[in-house]
mmCIF file with all atom_site columns, all heavy atoms in Angstrom:
data_model
loop_
_atom_site.group_PDB
_atom_site.id
_atom_site.type_symbol
_atom_site.label_atom_id
_atom_site.label_alt_id
_atom_site.label_comp_id
_atom_site.label_asym_id
_atom_site.label_entity_id
_atom_site.label_seq_id
_atom_site.pdbx_PDB_ins_code
_atom_site.Cartn_x
_atom_site.Cartn_y
_atom_site.Cartn_z
_atom_site.occupancy
_atom_site.B_iso_or_equiv
_atom_site.pdbx_formal_charge
_atom_site.auth_seq_id
_atom_site.auth_comp_id
_atom_site.auth_asym_id
_atom_site.auth_atom_id
_atom_site.pdbx_PDB_model_num
ATOM 1   N N   . LEU A 1 1  ? 92.852  118.032 127.688 1.00 90.00 ? 1  LEU A N   1
ATOM 2   C CA  . LEU A 1 1  ? 93.789  117.063 127.173 1.00 90.00 ? 1  LEU A CA  1
ATOM 3   C C   . LEU A 1 1  ? 95.080  117.782 126.789 1.00 90.00 ? 1  LEU A C   1
ATOM 4   O O   . LEU A 1 1  ? 95.094  119.004 126.673 1.00 90.00 ? 1  LEU A O   1
ATOM 5   C CB  . LEU A 1 1  ? 93.223  116.383 125.930 1.00 90.00 ? 1  LEU A CB  1
ATOM 6   C CG  . LEU A 1 1  ? 91.924  115.616 126.101 1.00 90.00 ? 1  LEU A CG  1
ATOM 7   C CD1 . LEU A 1 1  ? 91.402  115.158 124.762 1.00 90.00 ? 1  LEU A CD1 1
ATOM 8   C CD2 . LEU A 1 1  ? 92.114  114.447 127.041 1.00 90.00 ? 1  LEU A CD2 1
ATOM 9   N N   . ASN A 1 2  ? 96.119  117.059 126.558 1.00 94.00 ? 2  ASN A N   1
ATOM 10  C CA  . ASN A 1 2  ? 97.376  117.628 126.090 1.00 94.00 ? 2  ASN A CA  1
ATOM 11  C C   . ASN A 1 2  ? 97.158  118.318 124.739 1.00 94.00 ? 2  ASN A C   1
ATOM 12  O O   . ASN A 1 2  ? 96.406  117.807 123.894 1.00 94.00 ? 2  ASN A O   1
ATOM 13  C CB  . ASN A 1 2  ? 98.416  116.517 125.978 1.00 94.00 ? 2  ASN A CB  1
ATOM 14  C CG  . ASN A 1 2  ? 99.700  116.991 125.396 1.00 94.00 ? 2  ASN A CG  1
ATOM 15  O OD1 . ASN A 1 2  ? 99.843  117.058 124.172 1.00 94.00 ? 2  ASN A OD1 1
ATOM 16  N ND2 . ASN A 1 2  ? 100.634 117.356 126.238 1.00 94.00 ? 2  ASN A ND2 1
ATOM 17  N N   . LEU A 1 3  ? 97.799  119.448 124.554 1.00 96.00 ? 3  LEU A N   1
ATOM 18  C CA  . LEU A 1 3  ? 97.623  120.237 123.338 1.00 96.00 ? 3  LEU A CA  1
ATOM 19  C C   . LEU A 1 3  ? 97.878  119.431 122.064 1.00 96.00 ? 3  LEU A C   1
ATOM 20  O O   . LEU A 1 3  ? 97.086  119.448 121.129 1.00 96.00 ? 3  LEU A O   1
ATOM 21  C CB  . LEU A 1 3  ? 98.560  121.456 123.357 1.00 96.00 ? 3  LEU A CB  1
ATOM 22  C CG  . LEU A 1 3  ? 98.581  122.293 122.078 1.00 96.00 ? 3  LEU A CG  1
ATOM 23  C CD1 . LEU A 1 3  ? 97.229  122.917 121.813 1.00 96.00 ? 3  LEU A CD1 1
ATOM 24  C CD2 . LEU A 1 3  ? 99.674  123.350 122.170 1.00 96.00 ? 3  LEU A CD2 1
ATOM 25  N N   . SER A 1 4  ? 98.983  118.680 122.018 1.00 96.00 ? 4  SER A N   1
ATOM 26  C CA  . SER A 1 4  ? 99.287  117.939 120.790 1.00 96.00 ? 4  SER A CA  1
ATOM 27  C C   . SER A 1 4  ? 98.267  116.818 120.562 1.00 96.00 ? 4  SER A C   1
ATOM 28  O O   . SER A 1 4  ? 97.960  116.510 119.415 1.00 96.00 ? 4  SER A O   1
ATOM 29  C CB  . SER A 1 4  ? 100.717 117.392 120.804 1.00 96.00 ? 4  SER A CB  1
ATOM 30  O OG  . SER A 1 4  ? 100.962 116.549 121.895 1.00 96.00 ? 4  SER A OG  1
ATOM 31  N N   . ASN A 1 5  ? 97.682  116.269 121.628 1.00 96.00 ? 5  ASN A N   1
ATOM 32  C CA  . ASN A 1 5  ? 96.624  115.266 121.454 1.00 96.00 ? 5  ASN A CA  1
ATOM 33  C C   . ASN A 1 5  ? 95.389  115.906 120.871 1.00 96.00 ? 5  ASN A C   1
ATOM 34  O O   . ASN A 1 5  ? 94.711  115.336 120.004 1.00 96.00 ? 5  ASN A O   1
ATOM 35  C CB  . ASN A 1 5  ? 96.280  114.595 122.784 1.00 96.00 ? 5  ASN A CB  1
ATOM 36  C CG  . ASN A 1 5  ? 97.369  113.691 123.286 1.00 96.00 ? 5  ASN A CG  1
ATOM 37  O OD1 . ASN A 1 5  ? 98.222  113.249 122.507 1.00 96.00 ? 5  ASN A OD1 1
ATOM 38  N ND2 . ASN A 1 5  ? 97.362  113.418 124.562 1.00 96.00 ? 5  ASN A ND2 1
ATOM 39  N N   . CYS A 1 6  ? 95.055  117.090 121.345 1.00 97.00 ? 6  CYS A N   1
ATOM 40  C CA  . CYS A 1 6  ? 93.880  117.819 120.817 1.00 97.00 ? 6  CYS A CA  1
ATOM 41  C C   . CYS A 1 6  ? 94.052  118.125 119.332 1.00 97.00 ? 6  CYS A C   1
ATOM 42  O O   . CYS A 1 6  ? 93.118  117.933 118.543 1.00 97.00 ? 6  CYS A O   1
ATOM 43  C CB  . CYS A 1 6  ? 93.670  119.109 121.581 1.00 97.00 ? 6  CYS A CB  1
ATOM 44  S SG  . CYS A 1 6  ? 93.159  118.886 123.290 1.00 97.00 ? 6  CYS A SG  1
ATOM 45  N N   . VAL A 1 7  ? 95.221  118.585 118.962 1.00 98.00 ? 7  VAL A N   1
ATOM 46  C CA  . VAL A 1 7  ? 95.466  118.896 117.553 1.00 98.00 ? 7  VAL A CA  1
ATOM 47  C C   . VAL A 1 7  ? 95.329  117.633 116.715 1.00 98.00 ? 7  VAL A C   1
ATOM 48  O O   . VAL A 1 7  ? 94.683  117.645 115.657 1.00 98.00 ? 7  VAL A O   1
ATOM 49  C CB  . VAL A 1 7  ? 96.863  119.535 117.365 1.00 98.00 ? 7  VAL A CB  1
ATOM 50  C CG1 . VAL A 1 7  ? 97.177  119.712 115.874 1.00 98.00 ? 7  VAL A CG1 1
ATOM 51  C CG2 . VAL A 1 7  ? 96.954  120.861 118.076 1.00 98.00 ? 7  VAL A CG2 1
ATOM 52  N N   . ALA A 1 8  ? 95.879  116.527 117.187 1.00 98.00 ? 8  ALA A N   1
ATOM 53  C CA  . ALA A 1 8  ? 95.791  115.272 116.449 1.00 98.00 ? 8  ALA A CA  1
ATOM 54  C C   . ALA A 1 8  ? 94.344  114.833 116.269 1.00 98.00 ? 8  ALA A C   1
ATOM 55  O O   . ALA A 1 8  ? 93.941  114.426 115.170 1.00 98.00 ? 8  ALA A O   1
ATOM 56  C CB  . ALA A 1 8  ? 96.604  114.179 117.150 1.00 98.00 ? 8  ALA A CB  1
ATOM 57  N N   . LEU A 1 9  ? 93.548  114.886 117.318 1.00 97.00 ? 9  LEU A N   1
ATOM 58  C CA  . LEU A 1 9  ? 92.134  114.495 117.226 1.00 97.00 ? 9  LEU A CA  1
ATOM 59  C C   . LEU A 1 9  ? 91.401  115.277 116.152 1.00 97.00 ? 9  LEU A C   1
ATOM 60  O O   . LEU A 1 9  ? 90.740  114.703 115.271 1.00 97.00 ? 9  LEU A O   1
ATOM 61  C CB  . LEU A 1 9  ? 91.416  114.734 118.565 1.00 97.00 ? 9  LEU A CB  1
ATOM 62  C CG  . LEU A 1 9  ? 91.616  113.747 119.671 1.00 97.00 ? 9  LEU A CG  1
ATOM 63  C CD1 . LEU A 1 9  ? 91.062  114.311 120.983 1.00 97.00 ? 9  LEU A CD1 1
ATOM 64  C CD2 . LEU A 1 9  ? 90.932  112.442 119.346 1.00 97.00 ? 9  LEU A CD2 1
ATOM 65  N N   . VAL A 1 10 ? 91.490  116.585 116.231 1.00 98.00 ? 10 VAL A N   1
ATOM 66  C CA  . VAL A 1 10 ? 90.708  117.446 115.330 1.00 98.00 ? 10 VAL A CA  1
ATOM 67  C C   . VAL A 1 10 ? 91.264  117.412 113.915 1.00 98.00 ? 10 VAL A C   1
ATOM 68  O O   . VAL A 1 10 ? 90.523  117.317 112.934 1.00 98.00 ? 10 VAL A O   1
ATOM 69  C CB  . VAL A 1 10 ? 90.642  118.882 115.882 1.00 98.00 ? 10 VAL A CB  1
ATOM 70  C CG1 . VAL A 1 10 ? 89.842  119.768 114.935 1.00 98.00 ? 10 VAL A CG1 1
ATOM 71  C CG2 . VAL A 1 10 ? 90.002  118.875 117.283 1.00 98.00 ? 10 VAL A CG2 1
ATOM 72  N N   . LEU A 1 11 ? 92.569  117.449 113.776 1.00 98.00 ? 11 LEU A N   1
ATOM 73  C CA  . LEU A 1 11 ? 93.197  117.412 112.461 1.00 98.00 ? 11 LEU A CA  1
ATOM 74  C C   . LEU A 1 11 ? 92.850  116.114 111.719 1.00 98.00 ? 11 LEU A C   1
ATOM 75  O O   . LEU A 1 11 ? 92.471  116.131 110.540 1.00 98.00 ? 11 LEU A O   1
ATOM 76  C CB  . LEU A 1 11 ? 94.707  117.577 112.561 1.00 98.00 ? 11 LEU A CB  1
ATOM 77  C CG  . LEU A 1 11 ? 95.487  117.506 111.238 1.00 98.00 ? 11 LEU A CG  1
ATOM 78  C CD1 . LEU A 1 11 ? 95.006  118.556 110.250 1.00 98.00 ? 11 LEU A CD1 1
ATOM 79  C CD2 . LEU A 1 11 ? 96.982  117.650 111.511 1.00 98.00 ? 11 LEU A CD2 1
ATOM 80  N N   . TYR A 1 12 ? 92.938  114.986 112.403 1.00 98.00 ? 12 TYR A N   1
ATOM 81  C CA  . TYR A 1 12 ? 92.642  113.723 111.732 1.00 98.00 ? 12 TYR A CA  1
ATOM 82  C C   . TYR A 1 12 ? 91.161  113.569 111.417 1.00 98.00 ? 12 TYR A C   1
ATOM 83  O O   . TYR A 1 12 ? 90.800  112.965 110.408 1.00 98.00 ? 12 TYR A O   1
ATOM 84  C CB  . TYR A 1 12 ? 93.180  112.537 112.521 1.00 98.00 ? 12 TYR A CB  1
ATOM 85  C CG  . TYR A 1 12 ? 94.563  112.123 111.993 1.00 98.00 ? 12 TYR A CG  1
ATOM 86  C CD1 . TYR A 1 12 ? 95.696  112.763 112.468 1.00 98.00 ? 12 TYR A CD1 1
ATOM 87  C CD2 . TYR A 1 12 ? 94.692  111.190 111.002 1.00 98.00 ? 12 TYR A CD2 1
ATOM 88  C CE1 . TYR A 1 12 ? 96.935  112.442 111.962 1.00 98.00 ? 12 TYR A CE1 1
ATOM 89  C CE2 . TYR A 1 12 ? 95.933  110.851 110.491 1.00 98.00 ? 12 TYR A CE2 1
ATOM 90  C CZ  . TYR A 1 12 ? 97.065  111.477 110.967 1.00 98.00 ? 12 TYR A CZ  1
ATOM 91  O OH  . TYR A 1 12 ? 98.286  111.164 110.466 1.00 98.00 ? 12 TYR A OH  1
ATOM 92  N N   . GLU A 1 13 ? 90.282  114.170 112.224 1.00 98.00 ? 13 GLU A N   1
ATOM 93  C CA  . GLU A 1 13 ? 88.868  114.172 111.857 1.00 98.00 ? 13 GLU A CA  1
ATOM 94  C C   . GLU A 1 13 ? 88.662  114.991 110.587 1.00 98.00 ? 13 GLU A C   1
ATOM 95  O O   . GLU A 1 13 ? 87.942  114.580 109.681 1.00 98.00 ? 13 GLU A O   1
ATOM 96  C CB  . GLU A 1 13 ? 87.998  114.717 112.990 1.00 98.00 ? 13 GLU A CB  1
ATOM 97  C CG  . GLU A 1 13 ? 86.551  114.972 112.604 1.00 98.00 ? 13 GLU A CG  1
ATOM 98  C CD  . GLU A 1 13 ? 85.783  113.735 112.123 1.00 98.00 ? 13 GLU A CD  1
ATOM 99  O OE1 . GLU A 1 13 ? 86.199  112.588 112.388 1.00 98.00 ? 13 GLU A OE1 1
ATOM 100 O OE2 . GLU A 1 13 ? 84.731  113.925 111.464 1.00 98.00 ? 13 GLU A OE2 1
ATOM 101 N N   . ALA A 1 14 ? 89.292  116.155 110.529 1.00 98.00 ? 14 ALA A N   1
ATOM 102 C CA  . ALA A 1 14 ? 89.178  116.990 109.326 1.00 98.00 ? 14 ALA A CA  1
ATOM 103 C C   . ALA A 1 14 ? 89.715  116.258 108.100 1.00 98.00 ? 14 ALA A C   1
ATOM 104 O O   . ALA A 1 14 ? 89.073  116.232 107.042 1.00 98.00 ? 14 ALA A O   1
ATOM 105 C CB  . ALA A 1 14 ? 89.923  118.303 109.538 1.00 98.00 ? 14 ALA A CB  1
ATOM 106 N N   . LEU A 1 15 ? 90.866  115.619 108.225 1.00 97.00 ? 15 LEU A N   1
ATOM 107 C CA  . LEU A 1 15 ? 91.448  114.881 107.123 1.00 97.00 ? 15 LEU A CA  1
ATOM 108 C C   . LEU A 1 15 ? 90.614  113.662 106.720 1.00 97.00 ? 15 LEU A C   1
ATOM 109 O O   . LEU A 1 15 ? 90.474  113.316 105.550 1.00 97.00 ? 15 LEU A O   1
ATOM 110 C CB  . LEU A 1 15 ? 92.876  114.468 107.447 1.00 97.00 ? 15 LEU A CB  1
ATOM 111 C CG  . LEU A 1 15 ? 93.875  115.629 107.621 1.00 97.00 ? 15 LEU A CG  1
ATOM 112 C CD1 . LEU A 1 15 ? 95.189  115.121 108.128 1.00 97.00 ? 15 LEU A CD1 1
ATOM 113 C CD2 . LEU A 1 15 ? 94.005  116.422 106.327 1.00 97.00 ? 15 LEU A CD2 1
ATOM 114 N N   . ARG A 1 16 ? 90.002  113.021 107.701 1.00 96.00 ? 16 ARG A N   1
ATOM 115 C CA  . ARG A 1 16 ? 89.098  111.881 107.425 1.00 96.00 ? 16 ARG A CA  1
ATOM 116 C C   . ARG A 1 16 ? 87.929  112.345 106.591 1.00 96.00 ? 16 ARG A C   1
ATOM 117 O O   . ARG A 1 16 ? 87.568  111.723 105.590 1.00 96.00 ? 16 ARG A O   1
ATOM 118 C CB  . ARG A 1 16 ? 88.617  111.266 108.729 1.00 96.00 ? 16 ARG A CB  1
ATOM 119 C CG  . ARG A 1 16 ? 87.695  110.031 108.518 1.00 96.00 ? 16 ARG A CG  1
ATOM 120 C CD  . ARG A 1 16 ? 86.894  109.687 109.760 1.00 96.00 ? 16 ARG A CD  1
ATOM 121 N NE  . ARG A 1 16 ? 85.938  110.703 110.101 1.00 96.00 ? 16 ARG A NE  1
ATOM 122 C CZ  . ARG A 1 16 ? 84.752  110.873 109.512 1.00 96.00 ? 16 ARG A CZ  1
ATOM 123 N NH1 . ARG A 1 16 ? 84.394  110.089 108.493 1.00 96.00 ? 16 ARG A NH1 1
ATOM 124 N NH2 . ARG A 1 16 ? 83.923  111.810 109.921 1.00 96.00 ? 16 ARG A NH2 1
ATOM 125 N N   . GLN A 1 17 ? 87.355  113.490 106.973 1.00 97.00 ? 17 GLN A N   1
ATOM 126 C CA  . GLN A 1 17 ? 86.225  114.036 106.217 1.00 97.00 ? 17 GLN A CA  1
ATOM 127 C C   . GLN A 1 17 ? 86.616  114.357 104.767 1.00 97.00 ? 17 GLN A C   1
ATOM 128 O O   . GLN A 1 17 ? 85.806  114.255 103.873 1.00 97.00 ? 17 GLN A O   1
ATOM 129 C CB  . GLN A 1 17 ? 85.697  115.302 106.890 1.00 97.00 ? 17 GLN A CB  1
ATOM 130 C CG  . GLN A 1 17 ? 84.976  115.081 108.181 1.00 97.00 ? 17 GLN A CG  1
ATOM 131 C CD  . GLN A 1 17 ? 84.470  116.387 108.777 1.00 97.00 ? 17 GLN A CD  1
ATOM 132 O OE1 . GLN A 1 17 ? 84.416  117.424 108.122 1.00 97.00 ? 17 GLN A OE1 1
ATOM 133 N NE2 . GLN A 1 17 ? 84.076  116.312 110.031 1.00 97.00 ? 17 GLN A NE2 1
ATOM 134 N N   . LEU A 1 18 ? 87.870  114.696 104.569 1.00 96.00 ? 18 LEU A N   1
ATOM 135 C CA  . LEU A 1 18 ? 88.371  115.023 103.229 1.00 96.00 ? 18 LEU A CA  1
ATOM 136 C C   . LEU A 1 18 ? 88.942  113.809 102.515 1.00 96.00 ? 18 LEU A C   1
ATOM 137 O O   . LEU A 1 18 ? 89.593  113.936 101.481 1.00 96.00 ? 18 LEU A O   1
ATOM 138 C CB  . LEU A 1 18 ? 89.439  116.132 103.326 1.00 96.00 ? 18 LEU A CB  1
ATOM 139 C CG  . LEU A 1 18 ? 88.923  117.448 103.928 1.00 96.00 ? 18 LEU A CG  1
ATOM 140 C CD1 . LEU A 1 18 ? 90.069  118.363 104.251 1.00 96.00 ? 18 LEU A CD1 1
ATOM 141 C CD2 . LEU A 1 18 ? 87.937  118.104 102.973 1.00 96.00 ? 18 LEU A CD2 1
ATOM 142 N N   . ASN A 1 19 ? 88.701  112.613 103.081 1.00 94.00 ? 19 ASN A N   1
ATOM 143 C CA  . ASN A 1 19 ? 89.179  111.354 102.520 1.00 94.00 ? 19 ASN A CA  1
ATOM 144 C C   . ASN A 1 19 ? 90.705  111.273 102.463 1.00 94.00 ? 19 ASN A C   1
ATOM 145 O O   . ASN A 1 19 ? 91.272  110.763 101.512 1.00 94.00 ? 19 ASN A O   1
ATOM 146 C CB  . ASN A 1 19 ? 88.565  111.112 101.130 1.00 94.00 ? 19 ASN A CB  1
ATOM 147 C CG  . ASN A 1 19 ? 88.645  109.658 100.696 1.00 94.00 ? 19 ASN A CG  1
ATOM 148 O OD1 . ASN A 1 19 ? 88.650  108.773 101.542 1.00 94.00 ? 19 ASN A OD1 1
ATOM 149 N ND2 . ASN A 1 19 ? 88.744  109.425 99.403  1.00 94.00 ? 19 ASN A ND2 1
ATOM 150 N N   . PHE A 1 20 ? 91.327  111.814 103.489 1.00 93.00 ? 20 PHE A N   1
ATOM 151 C CA  . PHE A 1 20 ? 92.788  111.784 103.648 1.00 93.00 ? 20 PHE A CA  1
ATOM 152 C C   . PHE A 1 20 ? 93.524  112.174 102.359 1.00 93.00 ? 20 PHE A C   1
ATOM 153 O O   . PHE A 1 20 ? 94.200  111.364 101.724 1.00 93.00 ? 20 PHE A O   1
ATOM 154 C CB  . PHE A 1 20 ? 93.244  110.384 104.127 1.00 93.00 ? 20 PHE A CB  1
ATOM 155 C CG  . PHE A 1 20 ? 92.690  110.055 105.471 1.00 93.00 ? 20 PHE A CG  1
ATOM 156 C CD1 . PHE A 1 20 ? 91.699  109.093 105.620 1.00 93.00 ? 20 PHE A CD1 1
ATOM 157 C CD2 . PHE A 1 20 ? 93.166  110.686 106.616 1.00 93.00 ? 20 PHE A CD2 1
ATOM 158 C CE1 . PHE A 1 20 ? 91.181  108.790 106.877 1.00 93.00 ? 20 PHE A CE1 1
ATOM 159 C CE2 . PHE A 1 20 ? 92.649  110.383 107.862 1.00 93.00 ? 20 PHE A CE2 1
ATOM 160 C CZ  . PHE A 1 20 ? 91.661  109.437 107.988 1.00 93.00 ? 20 PHE A CZ  1
ATOM 161 N N   . PRO A 1 21 ? 93.408  113.445 101.971 1.00 90.00 ? 21 PRO A N   1
ATOM 162 C CA  . PRO A 1 21 ? 94.033  113.897 100.734 1.00 90.00 ? 21 PRO A CA  1
ATOM 163 C C   . PRO A 1 21 ? 95.555  113.726 100.779 1.00 90.00 ? 21 PRO A C   1
ATOM 164 O O   . PRO A 1 21 ? 96.181  114.000 101.771 1.00 90.00 ? 21 PRO A O   1
ATOM 165 C CB  . PRO A 1 21 ? 93.671  115.388 100.645 1.00 90.00 ? 21 PRO A CB  1
ATOM 166 C CG  . PRO A 1 21 ? 93.363  115.772 102.061 1.00 90.00 ? 21 PRO A CG  1
ATOM 167 C CD  . PRO A 1 21 ? 92.811  114.536 102.730 1.00 90.00 ? 21 PRO A CD  1
ATOM 168 N N   . GLY A 1 22 ? 96.087  113.268 99.677  1.00 82.00 ? 22 GLY A N   1
ATOM 169 C CA  . GLY A 1 22 ? 97.533  113.125 99.571  1.00 82.00 ? 22 GLY A CA  1
ATOM 170 C C   . GLY A 1 22 ? 98.114  111.861 100.170 1.00 82.00 ? 22 GLY A C   1
ATOM 171 O O   . GLY A 1 22 ? 99.296  111.611 100.060 1.00 82.00 ? 22 GLY A O   1
ATOM 172 N N   . GLU A 1 23 ? 97.250  111.030 100.770 1.00 79.00 ? 23 GLU A N   1
ATOM 173 C CA  . GLU A 1 23 ? 97.773  109.776 101.343 1.00 79.00 ? 23 GLU A CA  1
ATOM 174 C C   . GLU A 1 23 ? 98.177  108.824 100.230 1.00 79.00 ? 23 GLU A C   1
ATOM 175 O O   . GLU A 1 23 ? 97.495  108.703 99.228  1.00 79.00 ? 23 GLU A O   1
ATOM 176 C CB  . GLU A 1 23 ? 96.705  109.103 102.231 1.00 79.00 ? 23 GLU A CB  1
ATOM 177 C CG  . GLU A 1 23 ? 97.286  107.884 102.918 1.00 79.00 ? 23 GLU A CG  1
ATOM 178 C CD  . GLU A 1 23 ? 96.279  106.782 103.159 1.00 79.00 ? 23 GLU A CD  1
ATOM 179 O OE1 . GLU A 1 23 ? 95.178  106.818 102.591 1.00 79.00 ? 23 GLU A OE1 1
ATOM 180 O OE2 . GLU A 1 23 ? 96.639  105.848 103.889 1.00 79.00 ? 23 GLU A OE2 1
ATOM 181 N N   . ALA A 1 24 ? 99.319  108.188 100.414 1.00 67.00 ? 24 ALA A N   1
ATOM 182 C CA  . ALA A 1 24 ? 99.788  107.210 99.426  1.00 67.00 ? 24 ALA A CA  1
ATOM 183 C C   . ALA A 1 24 ? 98.875  106.006 99.457  1.00 67.00 ? 24 ALA A C   1
ATOM 184 O O   . ALA A 1 24 ? 98.761  105.332 100.464 1.00 67.00 ? 24 ALA A O   1
ATOM 185 C CB  . ALA A 1 24 ? 101.230 106.794 99.723  1.00 67.00 ? 24 ALA A CB  1
ATOM 186 N N   . ARG A 1 25 ? 98.196  105.748 98.363  1.00 62.00 ? 25 ARG A N   1
ATOM 187 C CA  . ARG A 1 25 ? 97.272  104.596 98.293  1.00 62.00 ? 25 ARG A CA  1
ATOM 188 C C   . ARG A 1 25 ? 97.761  103.602 97.254  1.00 62.00 ? 25 ARG A C   1
ATOM 189 O O   . ARG A 1 25 ? 96.992  102.969 96.576  1.00 62.00 ? 25 ARG A O   1
ATOM 190 C CB  . ARG A 1 25 ? 95.862  105.072 97.974  1.00 62.00 ? 25 ARG A CB  1
ATOM 191 C CG  . ARG A 1 25 ? 95.304  105.947 99.088  1.00 62.00 ? 25 ARG A CG  1
ATOM 192 C CD  . ARG A 1 25 ? 93.895  106.336 98.812  1.00 62.00 ? 25 ARG A CD  1
ATOM 193 N NE  . ARG A 1 25 ? 93.453  107.289 99.792  1.00 62.00 ? 25 ARG A NE  1
ATOM 194 C CZ  . ARG A 1 25 ? 92.569  107.029 100.747 1.00 62.00 ? 25 ARG A CZ  1
ATOM 195 N NH1 . ARG A 1 25 ? 92.024  105.860 100.817 1.00 62.00 ? 25 ARG A NH1 1
ATOM 196 N NH2 . ARG A 1 25 ? 92.211  107.950 101.585 1.00 62.00 ? 25 ARG A NH2 1
#
């Protein structure tokens, strides 16, 4: 896959696992 797509997939999975720290809720 495109490099930036790969980074987005894995980074967002990691952030999801961490309950999206720092997201404005």
